Amino acid sequence: MDKELIIRSSSDNVDFALLKDGKLIELQKDESSNNFSVGDVFIAKIRKAVPGLNAAFVNVGYEKDAFLHYHDLGPKLPSLLKFTKRVSTGKLKDFSLKNFPFEKDIDKGGKINDVLKSNQSLLVQIVKEPISTKGPRISSELSIAGRYIVLVPFSDRISISQKIESKDEKERLKRLVKSITPQGFGVIVRTVAEGKKVAELDKDLQNLLGRWTAMCKKLHKAHHPSKVLGELNKASSLLRDIFNDTFTSIHVDDEELYIQIKDYVQKIAPKKESIVKLYQSNIPVFEKFGIERQIKTSFGKTVSMAKGAYLVIEHTEALHVVDVNSGNRSNKAKSQEDTALEVNLIAATEIARQLRLRDMGGIIVVDFIDMTKAENRKTLYNHLREEMKDDRAKHKILPPSKFGLVQITRQRVRPEMNIKTREENPDAIINGQEVEAPIGIVQKITQDLEQLIKKDYKKMTLNTHPFIAAFITKGFPSIRSKWFFEHKKWVKVLPRDAYTYLEYHFFDKDGNQIK
């Protein structure tokens, strides 16, 4: 399994595309205008506590107040409030927490107006970016993420990632981390720390303590509200969370960003520094690696899959609905049940990819093709869980219901990736009409062609709209040339002025239309 990270930079944003064996599985955007990223820490003011919601609205500088629920306060809130007040007024110059006396923990089932008051200063962290009409979701239980560990101020807990399965390794890591963690801080050990030596863990810890100290120094003169600790830039935070030995290359088209990423990779994985490459070509980097084409064909309402099957993805305010269709496929399966299982397994793989690609969150309901055998339903359920194993967002998958529906909940911390894949209709007399992008239509034509070649038609002619005909035949190598190299059959393409933009038909050697 090869993983590649392709980074495209422009004046106002940076796009990150993660490829797995050449297939796009994750797409993220770092916009320079986004000042409220997950992980950012703000010094903020409590606007008002709302007892009915057991929550408070907090001014963090966004147009809508941030939402802080009682359960997101953290048990050490009184200690944090006391520390913030003393540091902000300049009375406390030691930020180590070693000699800082902790206050009594708040009651788990307490009330918001017993612990917070209007106009109170508080350190808060963004846990969910502003989405739609809602302001950011925040927490006052702070954490600073590193490569191997996460530092948690005002805590004494040492936690080990559940994904580390070896009991001995968990004990080893717990023992090592306990020996280097300063008083007043807790630590969460990340999965990538497995097998690492104490020197690597300590280096990461000291870096996080340095960031904590730098943040505290800002508090004395900080305006309310203002950001006092920013997440790493998107490239570094993405690499921190996903980088591993399976990465084979990182291509960057901007020299300044290339130097930053090369330096960061040199710090976290010196042996892999050589895989970071500066992309220099007249062809845009996303086109060179086939990402633009994959974006156009992956973000529409209908998503094509192998063997003629396809998904229909609908979005509502409350949830996402995915319908699985077998399409006009033909296969050699022995029965309808075998066909259903085959299509469902292909769909499960694509659905896992779509959730990551679009960053879909909340409730997702999938209507798979009905299967009568319990063992097939179990096979599908296990396959979907396996495919979603690499998904970094927290998620839960329920077994198929009596109606064959699979329900998934997936953590949503930032707005869903939504890319326009339709274009203005060149045939439209009235402006405003939109049709599918040419690459999407060509993909459908290619799939139909593959089905017809299996039926052993000797000669075929494709009649289509002049725009689409030109799209297929022009350039080198053209799409038609690729068809020939792959299938060893030459397809004659005839432009038809009378056809609408989406219309196309195949004809056999006798001029009869192939249905």
Side-chain angles (χ1 to χ4, degrees):
M1 180 181 69
D2 291 339
K3 279 188 183 173
E4 296 174 284
L5 183 64
I6 316 299
I7 302 172
R8 176 178 68 182
S9 179
S10 63
S11 57
D12 54 353
N13 57 52
V14 181
D15 296 315
F16 304 87
L18 182 62
L19 305 181
K20 181 176 167 184
D21 294 330
K23 195 158 189 178
L24 182 66
I25 59 168
E26 204 166 316
L27 187 67
Q28 292 200 27
K29 191 182 287 284
D30 184 14
E31 296 178 285
S32 54
S33 59
N34 184 16
N35 296 316
F36 298 90
S37 298
V38 173
D40 289 347
V41 178
F42 287 77
I43 181 74
K45 286 256 182 177
I46 307 296
R47 181 91 74 185
K48 63 179 177 180
V50 184
L53 297 173
N54 205 17
F57 288 100
V58 182
N59 178 18
V60 293
Y62 188 67
E63 59 195 55
K64 295 272 181 75
D65 286 342
F67 184 77
L68 177 63
H69 195 272
Y70 186 88
H71 293 150
D72 294 322
L73 294 174
K76 300 290 183 185
L77 176 71
S79 302
L80 175 65
L81 288 169
K82 181 181 174 183
F83 178 84
T84 306
K85 187 175 182 180
R86 293 187 63 187
V87 172
S88 298
T89 54
K91 291 178 181 177
L92 183 64
K93 299 281 171 62
D94 177 16
F95 311 130
S96 67
L97 302 183
K98 187 177 180 182
N99 301 313
F100 182 77
F102 280 20
E103 300 292 306
K104 186 183 174 184
D105 290 3
I106 61 171
D107 181 16
K108 282 184 180 179
K111 303 291 182 186
I112 194 82
N113 48 349
D114 292 337
V115 292
L116 289 179
K117 303 286 183 284
S118 295
N119 289 321
Q120 208 167 9
S121 291
L122 179 65
L123 278 172
V124 295
Q125 188 165 34
I126 306 289
V127 294
K128 192 174 181 180
E129 292 177 15
I131 296 174
S132 186
T133 58
K134 299 173 185 174
R137 179 86 182 246
I138 57 177
S139 169
S140 60
E141 198 165 15
L142 309 181
S143 62
I144 309 172
R147 171 71 174 153
Y148 302 120
I149 60 177
V150 178
L151 186 68
V152 185
F154 306 100
S155 175
D156 54 4
R157 289 185 61 192
I158 307 291
S159 304
I160 311 294
S161 167
Q162 294 298 315
K163 290 183 180 178
I164 298 176
E165 296 174 356
S166 168
K167 193 175 179 181
D168 291 340
E169 178 61 8
K170 281 185 176 180
E171 288 297 326
R172 184 189 76 88
L173 287 169
K174 196 164 191 174
R175 194 170 59 252
L176 290 180
V177 170
K178 206 167 188 177
S179 67
I180 59 174
T181 305
Q183 189 179 331
F185 292 90
V187 162
I188 302 166
V189 180
R190 306 183 75 175
T191 311
V192 286
E194 191 170 5
K196 299 300 176 187
K197 295 177 181 177
V198 68
E200 294 173 281
L201 300 176
D202 188 51
K203 185 181 176 183
D204 201 28
L205 176 65
Q206 295 308 319
N207 178 42
L208 296 178
L209 288 169
R211 293 183 68 198
W212 164 257
T213 304
M215 183 198 79
C216 293
K217 285 178 180 176
K218 291 181 183 177
L219 292 179
H220 183 42
K221 295 181 180 178
H223 297 289
H224 290 63
S226 66
K227 188 191 293 188
V228 289
L229 178 67
E231 252 288 15
L232 301 171
N233 64 58
K234 195 77 168 185
S236 299
S237 64
L238 195 66
L239 286 170
R240 178 195 67 199
D241 293 341
I242 67 173
F243 189 83
N244 57 35
D245 291 337
T246 62
F247 271 74
T248 53
S249 60
I250 300 171
H251 294 274
V252 193
D253 69 351
D254 178 79
E255 192 164 1
E256 187 179 339
L257 196 56
Y258 161 75
I259 293 167
Q260 286 178 23
I261 291 170
K262 199 172 178 72
D263 288 346
Y264 187 74
V265 172
Q266 204 278 327
K267 285 179 189 172
I268 64 172
K271 292 177 183 176
K272 285 278 189 178
E273 184 187 358
S274 60
I275 71 170
V276 184
K277 296 171 181 129
L278 178 62
Y279 180 81
Q280 294 173 302
S281 172
N282 293 330
I283 302 170
V285 66
F286 270 25
E287 284 197 23
K288 174 71 175 175
F289 290 92
I291 296 164
E292 287 290 7
R293 178 183 56 78
Q294 292 192 56
I295 289 172
K296 289 274 188 183
T297 56
S298 298
F299 277 88
K301 177 181 171 182
T302 304
V303 179
S304 299
M305 301 184 295
K307 300 184 179 179
Y310 64 95
L311 302 175
V312 178
I313 301 175
E314 299 271 10
H315 306 271
T316 71
E317 190 66 27
L319 47 80
H320 305 280
V321 182
V322 183
D323 186 35
V324 178
N325 293 277
S326 58
N328 59 347
R329 64 198 300 283
S330 61
N331 74 343
K332 297 174 183 177
K334 294 176 184 175
S335 66
Q336 186 179 343
E337 182 80 5
D338 292 342
T339 301
L341 177 61
E342 185 183 10
V343 172
N344 283 341
L345 293 176
I346 293 169
T349 301
E350 182 60 29
I351 287 163
R353 171 177 170 259
Q354 286 290 329
L355 296 185
R356 286 182 71 181
L357 196 55
R358 301 181 188 219
D359 208 1
M360 290 162 64
I363 301 170
I364 301 110
V365 178
V366 185
D367 182 12
F368 285 103
I369 298 171
D370 289 346
M371 295 184 293
T372 55
K373 294 180 181 177
E375 61 264 32
N376 287 344
R377 292 196 294 271
K378 188 175 181 182
T379 299
L380 171 62
Y381 176 61
N382 291 336
H383 179 72
L384 181 58
R385 289 180 62 186
E386 183 64 27
E387 288 294 322
M388 289 190 67
K389 194 171 66 174
D390 291 336
D391 195 335
R392 289 179 292 131
K394 291 178 184 173
H395 60 272
K396 189 178 181 75
I397 307 168
L398 296 182
S401 69
K402 286 183 180 179
F403 300 115
L405 303 176
V406 171
Q407 298 168 68
I408 304 168
T409 60
R410 188 174 182 273
Q411 182 187 31
R412 176 161 57 184
V413 295
R414 56 180 63 85
E416 182 184 331
M417 181 70 70
N418 188 16
I419 293 175
K420 188 177 177 183
T421 60
R422 296 176 73 79
E423 298 177 1
E424 192 174 317
N425 184 357
D427 284 331
I429 299 169
I430 304 166
N431 288 333
Q433 291 187 10
E434 292 184 336
V435 291
E436 199 168 355
I439 192 69
I441 302 165
V442 169
Q443 187 180 42
K444 287 181 180 176
I445 293 172
T446 303
Q447 287 172 348
D448 284 353
L449 178 66
E450 287 170 355
Q451 295 295 321
L452 294 176
I453 285 170
K454 288 177 186 175
K455 294 177 181 176
D456 207 28
Y457 282 96
K458 299 297 180 191
K459 285 186 178 180
M460 282 182 289
T461 302
L462 170 65
N463 290 9
T464 185
H465 188 280
F467 280 15
I468 303 301
F471 195 87
I472 290 170
T473 57
K474 302 300 179 187
F476 183 80
S478 66
I479 292 169
R480 179 168 59 177
S481 301
K482 291 177 182 175
W483 290 345
F484 178 73
F485 292 133
E486 188 174 346
H487 303 296
K488 303 296 182 287
K489 287 201 176 183
W490 185 256
V491 178
K492 189 175 181 181
V493 179
L494 292 179
R496 289 284 181 245
D497 294 339
Y499 280 21
T500 61
Y501 189 67
L502 298 176
E503 190 178 355
Y504 65 90
H505 299 289
F506 283 98
F507 292 85
D508 62 19
K509 61 183 175 60
D510 299 321
N512 299 316
Q513 185 177 328
I514 303 170
K515 298 293 184 184

